[in-house]
Amino acid sequence: MESIGIVRQVDELGRVVIPMELRRVLGIHEGEPLEIFIDEEAKRLMLRQYHTGCLFCESMEELSYFRARLVCQSCLKEIELQAMARLENAVTLESRGKAEIPEEAKGKQAEAIRRLVDVMRTHPHATKGEWARMAGFSPGYVSRLLRIIYEKGRLE
Ligand SMILES: [Zn+2]
């Protein structure tokens, strides 16, 4: 965060005018909701455009927070399926000797990924928690394995 050198006074009703130029640059339109964030320690307020729907499809159904953004169940499932596809791809490539699996996922972890993918293949509709239980891993470890492939995997 940086100061842009604009100082505004709070009026008797607690209102502050956001300068027109700023609203234009940020695409904030009249009547749109803004979400207020507070950093109590730093005594700082932050405003952010409030999106009421899913970040990706704007759906209002079954929303949950994913890294501080609202995402619907169906988009979350799609992200998960894509992660799974990449995971399977990485494991397949590795087993063919074309090891494109990231450094972090070699050895013991590659073994764990293989076990996880086996469980996922046999129970494609289970939840992540159920996969973890069936593979004998903690849910956190399953998330970590998925993240390794999803974020760091360099595939063909
Ligand atoms: Zn969505």
Side-chain angles (χ1 to χ4, degrees):
M1 270 209 288
E2 56 178 312
S3 168
I4 51 168
I6 295 171
V7 176
R8 288 282 148 114
Q9 278 174 345
V10 180
D11 77 7
E12 74 278 8
L13 292 176
R15 293 176 298 200
V16 176
V17 173
I18 301 168
M20 162 99 80
E21 187 54 35
L22 261 187
R23 278 179 281 148
R24 196 157 51 211
V25 168
L26 297 173
I28 298 170
H29 306 287
E30 190 187 326
E32 269 182 2
L34 292 177
E35 194 171 7
I36 302 171
F37 293 83
I38 181 165
D39 181 343
E40 280 181 74
E41 228 170 275
K43 298 201 186 310
R44 205 151 56 176
L45 286 179
M46 207 160 72
L47 297 174
R48 191 170 71 183
Q49 276 161 301
Y50 182 62
H51 296 286
T52 46
C54 169
L55 175 66
F56 300 108
C57 70
E58 293 180 359
S59 159
M60 304 286 285
E61 310 282 312
E62 296 183 283
L63 295 170
S64 56
Y65 277 100
F66 179 73
R67 295 187 183 169
R69 301 297 183 93
L70 283 172
V71 181
C72 76
Q73 280 311 303
S74 132
C75 286
L76 269 183
K77 194 79 199 170
E78 210 171 304
I79 292 167
E80 203 170 275
L81 287 175
Q82 279 185 23
M84 259 178 71
R86 294 179 73 155
L87 184 70
E88 289 200 32
N89 193 13
V91 171
T92 310
L93 286 174
E94 203 219 24
S95 68
R96 284 191 197 136
K98 295 199 220 165
E100 298 251 352
I101 210 156
E103 206 56 46
E104 298 93 317
K106 284 188 177 153
K108 210 172 152 193
Q109 250 173 5
E111 195 53 53
I113 287 171
R114 238 174 263 120
R115 190 149 111 215
L116 176 62
V117 169
D118 271 349
V119 169
M120 288 162 117
R121 278 203 186 110
T122 26
H123 305 274
H125 302 294
T127 65
K128 201 152 72 182
E130 287 165 343
W131 287 330
R133 220 172 17 254
M134 288 184 270
F137 301 145
S138 70
Y141 189 52
V142 167
S143 300
R144 206 160 83 218
L145 293 177
L146 287 170
R147 211 156 43 229
I148 286 169
I149 301 300
Y150 192 59
E151 287 180 355
K152 299 185 176 143
R154 289 179 298 277
L155 308 179
E156 271 187 334

